[in-house]
Amino acid sequence: MSFMEEVLKRNIPVWDKCIATPFVQDLKNGNLCPEVFKTYMVQDSIYLKNYARIYGKAIYHATALRDIQLYHSILGFVTEAESEVRLRYLRQFGMTDDDIESVSPLPETRSYIEFLFRVAERGNSREILMAVLPCMLSYSYIFCRIAARPESRDSKYWDFIQDYADSQYARDCRKWQDYADRKCEGLAVPEYAMLHRVFEQASLLELDFWNMAYRQEGGRA
């Protein structure tokens, strides 16, 4: 079993809990309240702006061209493909990216951002990779699974679901996963354990993020 296969095996249960959250289930079924989705979308916009900044730090600390190219490719997805999805929904709520600048992050968003910056400040490229990958890989896993459910086709959020269940996105995630395997091969056991902890902590913060909007709106989560 490769390093990333082992990492994913340990964290799939956390991602399955993400799927089981009321937010994701209501997103799948089309029952998600627009105000709850708006809360998520606004907070996700705040998160993604800072997530993109982490890749700037990763590129700064990188010494190999291959590392820079990998981080640049993910940054391109975040700032172009994901931004297009967000802006489409923000426009429906009568908002723009400029409006987001005046919104404060909720505690879950702030905790996730602070975690990413703590890892990035240490300057260890493998740790940074383990901190940022759960966001990308878990979305592919979660949305591919809910898209496979027939009822998701009738959800008013189907276009949002479909964007992350896209086969090209899955291939990109596989490419980033394979890169992480190459980057982390041959390490000593203590460093493997440390990288596992970083990946797991990011996955748990993803779970908190999925629960965030319902907690904010006094929902079921």
Side-chain angles (χ1 to χ4, degrees):
M1 182 182 298
S2 72
F3 171 73
M4 283 304 298
E5 286 173 340
E6 185 178 349
V7 167
L8 295 180
K9 182 180 178 181
R10 293 187 185 187
N11 286 275
I12 288 298
V14 179
W15 297 354
D16 285 336
K17 288 180 180 178
C18 295
I19 294 174
T21 59
F23 185 98
V24 174
Q25 287 301 303
D26 283 348
L27 184 78
K28 177 192 70 177
N29 297 328
N31 299 326
L32 187 63
C33 171
E35 280 302 310
V36 173
F37 187 70
K38 178 183 177 181
T39 297
Y40 160 81
M41 189 56 65
V42 168
Q43 291 297 311
D44 195 48
S45 297
I46 296 170
Y47 167 80
L48 286 174
K49 177 186 73 173
N50 287 281
Y51 186 71
R53 292 173 66 201
I54 296 301
Y55 284 99
K57 285 184 170 291
I59 290 171
Y60 173 80
H61 288 296
T63 56
L65 179 60
R66 183 182 296 179
D67 293 353
I68 295 170
Q69 291 170 332
L70 183 279
Y71 293 133
H72 186 267
S73 74
I74 305 178
L75 179 59
F77 175 82
V78 172
T79 58
E80 294 172 18
E82 282 202 292
S83 288
E84 182 180 346
V85 175
R86 285 190 309 100
L87 288 172
R88 186 167 68 242
Y89 277 99
L90 288 176
R91 283 193 294 269
Q92 292 180 22
F93 297 127
M95 301 181 73
T96 67
D97 269 340
D98 288 339
D99 297 317
I100 301 300
E101 296 298 327
S102 62
V103 180
S104 298
L106 292 174
E108 294 86 351
T109 309
R110 185 181 299 109
S111 293
Y112 203 166
I113 292 169
E114 289 175 351
F115 162 76
L116 292 174
F117 275 94
R118 283 197 305 273
V119 173
E121 289 297 333
R122 294 197 290 266
N124 182 309
S125 61
R126 295 185 183 92
E127 280 191 66
I128 295 173
L129 195 56
M130 291 301 104
V132 298
L133 279 182
C135 176
M136 312 298 290
L137 302 187
S138 70
Y139 264 61
S140 180
Y141 177 85
I142 290 165
F143 283 89
C144 281
R145 272 148 187 78
I146 66 173
R149 300 294 303 171
E151 62 268 28
S152 67
R153 272 35 173 211
D154 297 322
S155 171
K156 60 186 174 184
Y157 301 104
W158 170 244
D159 59 339
F160 181 74
I161 295 169
Q162 195 174 28
D163 277 328
Y164 288 107
D166 179 68
S167 59
Q168 180 58 54
Y169 179 48
R171 287 193 291 272
D172 286 340
C173 284
R174 182 68 206 192
K175 177 182 69 177
W176 300 329
Q177 178 183 325
D178 290 345
Y179 173 84
D181 261 331
R182 294 193 298 272
K183 185 76 175 173
C184 298
E185 65 183 358
L187 298 177
V189 171
E191 189 166 3
Y192 272 132
M194 177 268 295
L195 295 176
H196 273 289
R197 286 194 298 271
V198 171
F199 195 100
E200 181 182 27
Q201 188 170 354
S203 292
L204 291 170
L205 288 164
E206 283 289 324
L207 178 57
D208 284 345
F209 202 89
W210 287 119
N211 279 318
M212 169 190 59
Y214 263 118
R215 283 199 286 262
Q216 174 70 11
E217 298 296 330
R220 293 174 293 158

